Amino acid sequence: MKLEVDVKKRLGSFELNLDFGTMGNRLGLFGPSGSGKSTLVRLLAGLDLPDSGTIKLDGEVLTDGRRAIPPRKRRVGVVFQDSHLFTHLGVTANLLYGYKRLPKAERQINPDELIEALDLGALLERGVHTLSGGERRRVALGRAVLAAPRLLLLDEPLTGLDDKLRYQIIPYLHMVLERFGIPTLFISHSVEEMRLMTNRVLLIEGGGFTGEIKSGELAMQSFARGQEGYVNLMTLCDPSPVGDLCAYRWGDNELILLDTSEDPRVMVRLEARDVVLFKNHPTSTSARNLLTCTVSGLVPLGNRVAVELLCGGQLLVSQIVREAVVELDLREGSVVVAAIKATSFRILYGEHRRRGRGVLSGPASSSTCR
Amino acid sequence: MFFAPADLEVIVLSVKVAAVATFLSLPVGFLVAAGLGMSRFPGRALVDGVINLPLVLPPVVVGYFLLILLGDNGFFGPILKALGIKIVFNWKGAVVASAVVGFPLLVRSIRLGIESIDEGMFHAARSLGATWRDILFSVVLPQSWRAILVGATLMFARSLGEFGATVMIAGSIPGRTQTIPLAIFDYTNQPGKDANALKLCIVSMALSFSVLLVSEYLARRAKKTVTR
C-alpha cells in the first residue's frame, strides 16, 4: 500500500498540515491526544474533506481539493474506537452490512471463514447490546474486514479496554490482517500497541508530520525523551515444564518463567528495569535466568541509562542508573551477565493453537524466537 | 343501542380523519425531520420556524390561512378545481386541517429521535459503502422508529381533538365533516343533549388513551427485539 498525503485542514484553532508519503502494509500513526490523528483518519476515510491538498492511495487520487471520491467508493475501512455497531441489528446483520453493499465480483472474503477466524460463531444470533467490550471490537473488526477494504484504518481500536481484553484482541487482529492480507494504518498513542501491531510508524504532533521510524525504535525514542520506561517485548516458544516452572526458548537462550501457557508461542513483556546486570557470573542468586550478553549500545537519559544487550542472537534492554554504568565500566562490547527473575515476565498473549497459522508473525519490533 | 347512529358516524369519521392525516403525514414528516436533524443547510432555522408555526398559532388562524390557500377562490383553488379535488367543507378538509396542525408535533418527535442517534453509526455506514439514501432507510428509520411511533401517536391524538382549523375549512356538517369535538360543541349548544356530549367525551378519552397504550406496547416490544 502506498499512501501520499499533502493536506491542510483547519478546525477551530487547530490546524492540520501534513505532507508525507509512505509505503507499507503494517503502518502506525502515533501521536499524543490532540495531535490530529483522528482528523487524518476522517480525511482518509472521506468522512471529512481537507481545506486544500491531495490524498493519494496506491496512486489513485482520493481527494485533490476540487473533487473527492465519496467514502462509499473509497474502499477505506474504519474500525472506530467506540465500535459504532448498528444497535438495531444483530451481530450477523452488522457483520454483513458492508459485505452486502459490495458488488458481487468484489466480495473477496468469505464470511464463514472470517467468522471462524474471529471466533464469532457463538455470537451470531445475539443482539449487539448483549456483547462485551471485547466482543464488540471483534464484530466491528469483522464488519470492516468483510467490506474488503484496500486500506483499513484502525482508530484506537484497543483504547478503553482493560489489559486482559486488549491482549485477547491483538492476536485476532494479527490473525485476520495476515490471513486476508489487508494493509492497515493503526492509530494509537500507546507505544506498546504500536510495537505489537505495526512495522513502521508515522509520527505526528501538533497537526504536523514529524517523521517515520521503525516501530522498534519508537520505544527507545520514547525512553530517550523521558516519556516512559523501556519494555522488552519478546516472542518465546517451545514451552517445557521445569519442576513447577516453565522453560521457553528465546533465540539460543532458555528462559525460565513462572507462568505457563498452552500455546507453543507466546508474546512476553519484561520491564527493562527488571533486568539486573552483573560484571561477573554470580555464584548464587535467586534469579532463575542468567544470560551472558554483550553490550551493543548505551542510551542515557538523565540519571538513567538504557543498556542494549545482545544475547544469543536476541536484543535485550536493561535500564539501570548512571552510577552503575560507571561502576561496572560498561561500554560497547563489554560482556555482562543479565539476571532476570522468573516472576518478572508477563505473558501477554499466545498463538491460538487451533488455527493453523502463527499470529505472532505480525509485529517486527519485538524480538522473535526464530 | 348505546350510541345513536349519528354519533357512530361522528366517531368513525373522527378516527378516519385522524388516521388518514397521520398516515399521509408520516413519510413527509420523517423526511423533513431527517433533513432538519442530519444536515446543516442555509435557511434551516427558517424552515424549522415555518414547520413549527402551527404549534404556536391559534388553530383558527391556521384554518383561515388554509381557507385562503385551498378555498374555491383561494390561491390553489383553480388548480384543485381543475384536478377535481374538493377540500373545503369536505372530510378531506378536516384531514388537511389535522395534518397541518399535527405536523409540527410529528416532526419534533422524530427529529429528537434522529438527533439522538450515535453519529458514529452514520460514519460507519458511509465507510461500509452506504449512500445517504441507503443510510436513511437502513440506519435512520430503524433507529428512530420509536420516535416515529411517539410522533404518530401525538399527531393522531392531536388530530382527534382538532377543532379550530377544522371548523374553519371543513365546517361542522353532521355526517360529512362533523368530528367528535365539533359534535360535542354542537350538543352542548342544544338543550337536553348533555348525555350525548358526555358519551362522546368518554369515547374521545378512551380513543386517545388506547392509542397511547398501543404505542407504549409497540415501543416496549421493539426494545425487547433489539436487546434480545
Short mmCIF file of all heavy atoms in Angstrom, two decimals, chain A residues 42 46-47 71-72 76-78 80 84-88 97-98 101 125-127 129-130 143-144 147, chain B residues 118-132 134-135 138-140 142-143 226-228:
data_model
loop_
_atom_site.label_atom_id
_atom_site.label_comp_id
_atom_site.label_asym_id
_atom_site.label_seq_id
_atom_site.Cartn_x
_atom_site.Cartn_y
_atom_site.Cartn_z
N ARG A 42 -10.37 10.72 9.49
CA ARG A 42 -11.60 11.17 8.84
C ARG A 42 -11.32 11.63 7.40
O ARG A 42 -12.12 11.39 6.50
CB ARG A 42 -12.24 12.30 9.64
CG ARG A 42 -12.81 11.84 10.98
CD ARG A 42 -13.22 13.02 11.84
NE ARG A 42 -14.17 13.87 11.14
CZ ARG A 42 -15.47 13.67 11.10
NH1 ARG A 42 -15.98 12.64 11.73
NH2 ARG A 42 -16.26 14.47 10.44
N GLY A 46 -12.69 9.81 4.05
CA GLY A 46 -13.61 10.62 3.25
C GLY A 46 -14.79 11.14 4.07
O GLY A 46 -15.75 11.67 3.51
N LEU A 47 -14.73 10.97 5.40
CA LEU A 47 -15.83 11.44 6.24
C LEU A 47 -15.76 12.95 6.43
O LEU A 47 -16.70 13.58 6.88
CB LEU A 47 -15.78 10.73 7.60
CG LEU A 47 -15.92 9.22 7.52
CD1 LEU A 47 -15.63 8.57 8.86
CD2 LEU A 47 -17.30 8.83 7.03
N PRO A 71 -16.93 8.44 0.47
CA PRO A 71 -16.46 7.34 1.32
C PRO A 71 -16.89 5.97 0.80
O PRO A 71 -16.11 5.01 0.85
CB PRO A 71 -17.13 7.62 2.66
CG PRO A 71 -17.55 9.03 2.63
CD PRO A 71 -17.65 9.47 1.21
N ARG A 72 -18.11 5.88 0.28
CA ARG A 72 -18.62 4.56 -0.10
C ARG A 72 -17.84 3.96 -1.27
O ARG A 72 -17.86 2.75 -1.49
CB ARG A 72 -20.11 4.63 -0.43
CG ARG A 72 -20.44 5.45 -1.65
CD ARG A 72 -21.92 5.36 -2.00
NE ARG A 72 -22.16 5.88 -3.33
CZ ARG A 72 -22.27 7.17 -3.63
NH1 ARG A 72 -22.16 8.05 -2.65
NH2 ARG A 72 -22.49 7.56 -4.85
N VAL A 76 -11.99 2.35 1.85
CA VAL A 76 -11.11 2.55 3.01
C VAL A 76 -11.96 2.24 4.23
O VAL A 76 -12.92 2.95 4.52
CB VAL A 76 -10.59 4.01 3.07
CG1 VAL A 76 -9.82 4.24 4.36
CG2 VAL A 76 -9.71 4.32 1.87
N GLY A 77 -11.65 1.13 4.90
CA GLY A 77 -12.45 0.71 6.04
C GLY A 77 -11.98 1.39 7.31
O GLY A 77 -10.83 1.82 7.41
N VAL A 78 -12.88 1.50 8.27
CA VAL A 78 -12.51 2.09 9.55
C VAL A 78 -13.03 1.21 10.69
O VAL A 78 -14.19 0.80 10.67
CB VAL A 78 -13.12 3.51 9.74
CG1 VAL A 78 -12.51 4.18 10.96
CG2 VAL A 78 -12.93 4.37 8.50
N PHE A 80 -13.64 1.87 14.45
CA PHE A 80 -13.63 3.01 15.34
C PHE A 80 -13.38 2.57 16.78
O PHE A 80 -13.66 1.44 17.16
CB PHE A 80 -14.99 3.72 15.29
CG PHE A 80 -15.34 4.25 13.93
CD1 PHE A 80 -16.07 3.49 13.03
CD2 PHE A 80 -14.94 5.51 13.54
CE1 PHE A 80 -16.41 3.97 11.79
CE2 PHE A 80 -15.27 6.00 12.28
CZ PHE A 80 -16.00 5.24 11.40
N HIS A 84 -19.10 1.63 17.16
CA HIS A 84 -20.24 2.14 16.39
C HIS A 84 -20.98 1.02 15.66
O HIS A 84 -21.24 1.11 14.47
CB HIS A 84 -19.80 3.22 15.40
CG HIS A 84 -19.23 4.44 16.05
ND1 HIS A 84 -19.79 5.04 17.14
CD2 HIS A 84 -18.13 5.17 15.76
CE1 HIS A 84 -19.06 6.08 17.50
NE2 HIS A 84 -18.06 6.18 16.69
N LEU A 85 -21.30 -0.04 16.38
CA LEU A 85 -22.10 -1.11 15.79
C LEU A 85 -23.53 -0.60 15.63
O LEU A 85 -23.96 0.29 16.37
CB LEU A 85 -22.09 -2.34 16.70
CG LEU A 85 -20.74 -3.02 16.86
CD1 LEU A 85 -20.86 -4.19 17.83
CD2 LEU A 85 -20.20 -3.50 15.53
N PHE A 86 -24.26 -1.16 14.68
CA PHE A 86 -25.65 -0.76 14.48
C PHE A 86 -26.49 -1.47 15.54
O PHE A 86 -26.66 -2.69 15.49
CB PHE A 86 -26.12 -1.14 13.08
CG PHE A 86 -25.26 -0.53 12.00
CD1 PHE A 86 -24.55 -1.33 11.12
CD2 PHE A 86 -25.16 0.85 11.88
CE1 PHE A 86 -23.76 -0.77 10.14
CE2 PHE A 86 -24.35 1.42 10.89
CZ PHE A 86 -23.65 0.60 10.03
N THR A 87 -27.00 -0.68 16.48
CA THR A 87 -27.67 -1.30 17.62
C THR A 87 -29.04 -1.88 17.27
O THR A 87 -29.60 -2.64 18.04
CB THR A 87 -27.84 -0.27 18.76
OG1 THR A 87 -28.41 0.92 18.21
CG2 THR A 87 -26.50 0.08 19.39
N HIS A 88 -29.58 -1.51 16.11
CA HIS A 88 -30.88 -2.07 15.74
C HIS A 88 -30.73 -3.39 14.99
O HIS A 88 -31.72 -4.01 14.63
CB HIS A 88 -31.65 -1.07 14.87
CG HIS A 88 -30.92 -0.69 13.60
ND1 HIS A 88 -29.85 0.16 13.60
CD2 HIS A 88 -31.11 -1.05 12.32
CE1 HIS A 88 -29.41 0.32 12.35
NE2 HIS A 88 -30.17 -0.41 11.56
N TYR A 97 -23.19 -5.94 6.83
CA TYR A 97 -23.68 -4.64 6.33
C TYR A 97 -22.85 -4.15 5.13
O TYR A 97 -23.40 -3.80 4.09
CB TYR A 97 -23.64 -3.60 7.45
CG TYR A 97 -24.32 -2.30 7.09
CD1 TYR A 97 -25.65 -2.08 7.39
CD2 TYR A 97 -23.63 -1.28 6.43
CE1 TYR A 97 -26.30 -0.90 7.06
CE2 TYR A 97 -24.26 -0.08 6.09
CZ TYR A 97 -25.59 0.10 6.42
OH TYR A 97 -26.21 1.28 6.07
N GLY A 98 -21.56 -4.13 5.27
CA GLY A 98 -20.71 -3.64 4.17
C GLY A 98 -20.59 -4.68 3.07
O GLY A 98 -20.58 -4.35 1.88
N ARG A 101 -23.24 -4.63 0.49
CA ARG A 101 -23.20 -3.45 -0.37
C ARG A 101 -22.05 -3.48 -1.36
O ARG A 101 -21.86 -2.54 -2.12
CB ARG A 101 -23.15 -2.19 0.50
CG ARG A 101 -24.52 -1.87 1.09
CD ARG A 101 -24.50 -0.98 2.30
NE ARG A 101 -25.86 -0.68 2.75
CZ ARG A 101 -26.61 -1.49 3.48
NH1 ARG A 101 -26.13 -2.65 3.87
NH2 ARG A 101 -27.84 -1.15 3.84
N GLU A 125 -26.20 -15.01 16.71
CA GLU A 125 -27.64 -14.81 16.94
C GLU A 125 -27.92 -13.72 17.96
O GLU A 125 -29.07 -13.41 18.24
CB GLU A 125 -28.26 -16.13 17.43
CG GLU A 125 -28.15 -17.29 16.45
CD GLU A 125 -28.78 -16.98 15.11
OE1 GLU A 125 -29.90 -16.42 15.10
OE2 GLU A 125 -28.15 -17.25 14.06
N ARG A 126 -26.88 -13.14 18.52
CA ARG A 126 -27.09 -12.18 19.62
C ARG A 126 -27.33 -10.77 19.12
O ARG A 126 -26.96 -10.41 18.01
CB ARG A 126 -25.85 -12.18 20.54
CG ARG A 126 -25.48 -13.56 21.03
CD ARG A 126 -25.29 -13.70 22.50
NE ARG A 126 -24.61 -12.63 23.18
CZ ARG A 126 -23.41 -12.77 23.76
NH1 ARG A 126 -22.76 -13.90 23.66
NH2 ARG A 126 -22.89 -11.78 24.44
N GLY A 127 -27.97 -9.96 19.97
CA GLY A 127 -28.10 -8.54 19.68
C GLY A 127 -26.84 -7.85 20.16
O GLY A 127 -26.18 -8.34 21.09
N HIS A 129 -26.39 -5.30 21.90
CA HIS A 129 -26.43 -4.78 23.27
C HIS A 129 -25.89 -5.77 24.28
O HIS A 129 -25.45 -5.38 25.36
CB HIS A 129 -27.88 -4.46 23.66
CG HIS A 129 -28.37 -3.19 23.07
ND1 HIS A 129 -29.31 -3.15 22.07
CD2 HIS A 129 -28.02 -1.91 23.31
CE1 HIS A 129 -29.52 -1.89 21.73
NE2 HIS A 129 -28.75 -1.12 22.46
N THR A 130 -25.94 -7.04 23.92
CA THR A 130 -25.55 -8.06 24.90
C THR A 130 -24.07 -8.40 24.80
O THR A 130 -23.59 -9.24 25.55
CB THR A 130 -26.36 -9.35 24.66
OG1 THR A 130 -25.98 -9.87 23.36
CG2 THR A 130 -27.84 -9.10 24.67
N ARG A 143 -16.78 -6.69 10.63
CA ARG A 143 -17.64 -5.92 9.74
C ARG A 143 -16.80 -5.10 8.75
O ARG A 143 -17.10 -5.07 7.55
CB ARG A 143 -18.50 -4.97 10.61
CG ARG A 143 -19.49 -4.14 9.85
CD ARG A 143 -20.32 -3.30 10.79
NE ARG A 143 -19.54 -2.23 11.42
CZ ARG A 143 -20.07 -1.24 12.13
NH1 ARG A 143 -21.37 -1.20 12.32
NH2 ARG A 143 -19.32 -0.30 12.66
N ALA A 144 -15.76 -4.47 9.26
CA ALA A 144 -14.91 -3.65 8.38
C ALA A 144 -14.14 -4.52 7.40
O ALA A 144 -14.01 -4.18 6.22
CB ALA A 144 -13.95 -2.82 9.22
N ALA A 147 -15.97 -5.89 4.28
CA ALA A 147 -16.20 -4.92 3.20
C ALA A 147 -14.99 -4.85 2.27
O ALA A 147 -14.93 -3.99 1.40
CB ALA A 147 -16.54 -3.56 3.78
N ASP B 118 -26.43 7.86 17.52
CA ASP B 118 -24.97 8.00 17.56
C ASP B 118 -24.46 8.30 16.15
O ASP B 118 -24.60 7.49 15.23
CB ASP B 118 -24.40 6.67 18.09
CG ASP B 118 -22.90 6.55 17.88
OD1 ASP B 118 -22.26 7.58 17.63
OD2 ASP B 118 -22.41 5.41 17.97
N GLU B 119 -23.87 9.48 15.99
CA GLU B 119 -23.42 9.93 14.67
C GLU B 119 -22.39 8.97 14.08
O GLU B 119 -22.25 8.85 12.86
CB GLU B 119 -22.81 11.33 14.81
CG GLU B 119 -22.95 12.16 13.56
CD GLU B 119 -22.20 13.48 13.68
OE1 GLU B 119 -21.83 13.87 14.81
OE2 GLU B 119 -21.98 14.11 12.66
N GLY B 120 -21.68 8.30 14.98
CA GLY B 120 -20.67 7.34 14.53
C GLY B 120 -21.26 6.25 13.65
O GLY B 120 -20.57 5.69 12.79
N MET B 121 -22.53 5.92 13.87
CA MET B 121 -23.17 4.89 13.02
C MET B 121 -23.25 5.36 11.58
O MET B 121 -23.13 4.57 10.65
CB MET B 121 -24.57 4.60 13.54
CG MET B 121 -24.59 3.65 14.70
SD MET B 121 -26.29 3.16 15.00
CE MET B 121 -26.31 3.22 16.75
N PHE B 122 -23.48 6.66 11.40
CA PHE B 122 -23.52 7.19 10.03
C PHE B 122 -22.13 7.08 9.40
O PHE B 122 -21.99 6.71 8.23
CB PHE B 122 -23.98 8.66 10.01
CG PHE B 122 -25.32 8.91 10.64
CD1 PHE B 122 -25.61 10.12 11.25
CD2 PHE B 122 -26.31 7.93 10.62
CE1 PHE B 122 -26.84 10.34 11.84
CE2 PHE B 122 -27.54 8.15 11.20
CZ PHE B 122 -27.81 9.36 11.82
N HIS B 123 -21.10 7.42 10.21
CA HIS B 123 -19.73 7.32 9.69
C HIS B 123 -19.43 5.87 9.29
O HIS B 123 -18.87 5.59 8.24
CB HIS B 123 -18.72 7.77 10.74
CG HIS B 123 -18.84 9.21 11.11
ND1 HIS B 123 -19.23 10.17 10.21
CD2 HIS B 123 -18.63 9.87 12.27
CE1 HIS B 123 -19.26 11.35 10.80
NE2 HIS B 123 -18.90 11.19 12.06
N ALA B 124 -19.81 4.96 10.21
CA ALA B 124 -19.55 3.54 9.95
C ALA B 124 -20.26 3.12 8.66
O ALA B 124 -19.67 2.50 7.78
CB ALA B 124 -20.01 2.69 11.13
N ALA B 125 -21.54 3.49 8.54
CA ALA B 125 -22.32 3.08 7.37
C ALA B 125 -21.70 3.65 6.09
O ALA B 125 -21.60 2.96 5.07
CB ALA B 125 -23.76 3.55 7.52
N ARG B 126 -21.27 4.90 6.15
CA ARG B 126 -20.68 5.51 4.94
C ARG B 126 -19.39 4.81 4.56
O ARG B 126 -19.14 4.52 3.39
CB ARG B 126 -20.40 6.99 5.19
CG ARG B 126 -21.65 7.83 5.27
CD ARG B 126 -21.33 9.27 5.59
NE ARG B 126 -20.78 9.97 4.44
CZ ARG B 126 -20.09 11.10 4.52
NH1 ARG B 126 -19.86 11.65 5.69
NH2 ARG B 126 -19.64 11.68 3.44
N SER B 127 -18.57 4.49 5.57
CA SER B 127 -17.30 3.83 5.24
C SER B 127 -17.53 2.39 4.80
O SER B 127 -16.65 1.75 4.23
CB SER B 127 -16.33 3.88 6.43
OG SER B 127 -16.76 3.01 7.44
N LEU B 128 -18.74 1.86 5.08
CA LEU B 128 -19.05 0.49 4.66
C LEU B 128 -19.78 0.46 3.32
O LEU B 128 -20.30 -0.57 2.91
CB LEU B 128 -19.89 -0.21 5.73
CG LEU B 128 -19.15 -0.56 7.02
CD1 LEU B 128 -20.12 -0.92 8.13
CD2 LEU B 128 -18.17 -1.71 6.78
N GLY B 129 -19.84 1.60 2.66
CA GLY B 129 -20.35 1.60 1.29
C GLY B 129 -21.80 2.07 1.12
O GLY B 129 -22.36 1.93 0.03
N ALA B 130 -22.41 2.62 2.18
CA ALA B 130 -23.81 3.03 2.06
C ALA B 130 -23.92 4.47 1.53
O ALA B 130 -23.11 5.32 1.88
CB ALA B 130 -24.50 2.93 3.42
N THR B 131 -24.93 4.71 0.70
CA THR B 131 -25.23 6.08 0.26
C THR B 131 -26.10 6.73 1.34
O THR B 131 -26.62 6.04 2.22
CB THR B 131 -26.03 6.08 -1.05
OG1 THR B 131 -27.26 5.38 -0.81
CG2 THR B 131 -25.27 5.39 -2.17
N TRP B 132 -26.29 8.06 1.23
CA TRP B 132 -27.12 8.74 2.23
C TRP B 132 -28.54 8.17 2.22
O TRP B 132 -29.17 8.01 3.26
CB TRP B 132 -27.15 10.24 1.99
CG TRP B 132 -25.97 10.92 2.63
CD1 TRP B 132 -24.96 11.57 1.99
CD2 TRP B 132 -25.66 11.00 4.04
NE1 TRP B 132 -24.05 12.04 2.91
CE2 TRP B 132 -24.45 11.70 4.17
CE3 TRP B 132 -26.29 10.53 5.19
CZ2 TRP B 132 -23.86 11.97 5.40
CZ3 TRP B 132 -25.69 10.78 6.42
CH2 TRP B 132 -24.50 11.49 6.51
N ASP B 134 -29.48 5.21 1.33
CA ASP B 134 -29.38 3.88 1.94
C ASP B 134 -29.37 4.01 3.47
O ASP B 134 -30.08 3.32 4.20
CB ASP B 134 -28.09 3.23 1.41
CG ASP B 134 -27.91 1.80 1.86
OD1 ASP B 134 -28.73 1.34 2.67
OD2 ASP B 134 -26.96 1.14 1.40
N ILE B 135 -28.55 4.96 3.96
CA ILE B 135 -28.43 5.17 5.41
C ILE B 135 -29.77 5.58 6.01
O ILE B 135 -30.15 5.14 7.09
CB ILE B 135 -27.35 6.24 5.70
CG1 ILE B 135 -25.97 5.70 5.35
CG2 ILE B 135 -27.38 6.68 7.16
CD1 ILE B 135 -24.86 6.72 5.43
N SER B 138 -31.64 2.24 6.10
CA SER B 138 -31.03 1.10 6.80
C SER B 138 -30.58 1.46 8.21
O SER B 138 -30.35 0.58 9.03
CB SER B 138 -29.84 0.55 5.99
OG SER B 138 -28.81 1.50 5.93
N VAL B 139 -30.41 2.75 8.51
CA VAL B 139 -29.97 3.14 9.85
C VAL B 139 -30.97 4.10 10.52
O VAL B 139 -31.49 3.82 11.59
CB VAL B 139 -28.56 3.81 9.80
CG1 VAL B 139 -28.12 4.20 11.21
CG2 VAL B 139 -27.53 2.88 9.18
N VAL B 140 -31.25 5.22 9.85
CA VAL B 140 -32.06 6.26 10.49
C VAL B 140 -33.48 5.77 10.80
O VAL B 140 -33.95 5.91 11.93
CB VAL B 140 -32.12 7.52 9.60
CG1 VAL B 140 -32.92 8.61 10.30
CG2 VAL B 140 -30.72 8.02 9.29
N PRO B 142 -34.82 2.59 11.08
CA PRO B 142 -34.95 1.62 12.19
C PRO B 142 -34.48 2.17 13.53
O PRO B 142 -35.00 1.77 14.57
CB PRO B 142 -34.07 0.45 11.75
CG PRO B 142 -33.22 0.94 10.64
CD PRO B 142 -33.92 2.10 10.02
N GLN B 143 -33.51 3.10 13.52
CA GLN B 143 -33.03 3.64 14.79
C GLN B 143 -34.04 4.59 15.41
O GLN B 143 -34.05 4.79 16.62
CB GLN B 143 -31.71 4.40 14.55
CG GLN B 143 -30.48 3.52 14.45
CD GLN B 143 -30.02 2.99 15.79
OE1 GLN B 143 -30.23 3.59 16.82
NE2 GLN B 143 -29.39 1.82 15.77
N VAL B 226 -34.78 -5.56 19.96
CA VAL B 226 -33.42 -5.06 19.72
C VAL B 226 -32.45 -5.59 20.74
O VAL B 226 -31.33 -5.98 20.43
CB VAL B 226 -33.43 -3.51 19.73
CG1 VAL B 226 -32.01 -2.99 19.71
CG2 VAL B 226 -34.18 -2.99 18.52
N THR B 227 -32.87 -5.65 22.02
CA THR B 227 -31.93 -6.06 23.06
C THR B 227 -31.89 -7.56 23.28
O THR B 227 -31.23 -8.03 24.17
CB THR B 227 -32.28 -5.39 24.40
OG1 THR B 227 -33.66 -5.67 24.66
CG2 THR B 227 -32.07 -3.91 24.36
N ARG B 228 -32.58 -8.29 22.43
CA ARG B 228 -32.66 -9.73 22.56
C ARG B 228 -31.27 -10.33 22.73
O ARG B 228 -30.31 -9.94 22.08
CB ARG B 228 -33.30 -10.30 21.30
CG ARG B 228 -33.37 -11.77 21.24
CD ARG B 228 -34.17 -12.17 20.00
NE ARG B 228 -33.75 -11.37 18.88
CZ ARG B 228 -33.05 -11.81 17.85
NH1 ARG B 228 -32.68 -13.05 17.81
NH2 ARG B 228 -32.72 -11.02 16.84
#
